[in-house]
Amino acid sequence: DCKKWPTTMRLLSHRFCHLQVRDDDRTAQHTCCERTPTERRVRSRLSIRGEPERREQLWRNTRRLQEGMRSLGFDIGPTETPIIPVLIGPLETTFLFWRKLFDAGVFTNPVVPPAVPPAQCRLRTSLMATHTAEQIDLALEVFGRLGKELGVI
């Protein structure tokens, strides 16, 4: 029940729409089965219903990155979304990998304790429909090179 979550911040998730919300927002009265005003505003701007080609492109990009990561030897688990967690392992290796990716122009988010066990840290990638095949291939090349360099794959 989301009413039991910490009051300073709530992570609201409905399918692929993730929002961070503070108590001073009007969404503080959120219940698990209703859309918040913030979420309605975000969804109205996405216009995904009016542009199905964007959704189709997002899924093509998702499959390209997932297949590429798996073929390189990365453990991405059974993910089925455009937000792809890449298992790295120890905390220090994860932060080193994250920083080297960032320096190479690839943006990821580290997922570290207490969100995951200390030896199961991850880097989370997030795809958009506007990513190009060339950008995804570059990210895969950098991931592959650094994965070998750091002994992750």
Side-chain angles (χ1 to χ4, degrees):
D1 181 12
C2 67
K3 291 179 184 176
K4 295 178 184 173
W5 295 351
T7 57
T8 55
M9 186 177 289
R10 292 186 175 99
L11 180 65
L12 307 176
S13 174
H14 189 284
R15 291 197 162 212
F16 304 121
C17 186
H18 300 278
L19 307 169
Q20 289 181 324
V21 182
R22 294 184 313 272
D23 272 341
D24 59 351
D25 195 342
R26 293 180 186 211
T27 61
Q29 302 302 315
H30 171 71
T31 62
C32 292
C33 59
E34 66 183 343
R35 297 228 195 277
T36 66
T38 303
E39 186 177 357
R40 282 195 299 271
R41 281 193 304 274
V42 169
R43 284 183 173 275
S44 71
R45 291 186 182 129
L46 290 176
S47 69
I48 246 170
R49 288 189 181 119
E51 299 179 64
E53 65 277 1
R54 284 187 187 262
R55 187 173 350 141
E56 293 163 9
Q57 183 60 46
L58 177 61
W59 287 115
R60 280 192 296 274
N61 288 348
T62 299
R63 285 188 298 276
R64 183 182 198 95
L65 187 60
Q66 287 174 344
E67 291 166 4
M69 287 292 193
R70 286 188 177 112
S71 72
L72 287 169
F74 285 101
D75 180 355
I76 62 170
T79 186
E80 296 180 4
T81 74
I83 301 169
I84 303 169
V86 182
L87 181 65
I88 303 300
L91 181 66
E92 292 173 359
T93 305
T94 301
F95 277 120
L96 182 59
F97 205 134
W98 169 78
R99 184 58 202 207
K100 287 179 175 263
L101 283 169
F102 184 82
D103 290 344
V106 179
F107 183 78
T108 62
N109 292 305
V111 182
V112 298
V116 295
Q120 295 180 9
C121 296
R122 295 160 171 77
L123 293 174
R124 186 178 63 207
T125 65
S126 300
L127 283 165
M128 297 185 302
T130 54
H131 282 118
T132 65
E134 293 78 19
Q135 289 171 324
I136 294 169
D137 291 345
L138 174 63
L140 287 167
E141 184 274 320
V142 174
F143 259 96
R145 180 173 44 81
L146 294 175
K148 290 174 185 165
E149 178 184 315
L150 298 173
V152 175
I153 55 171

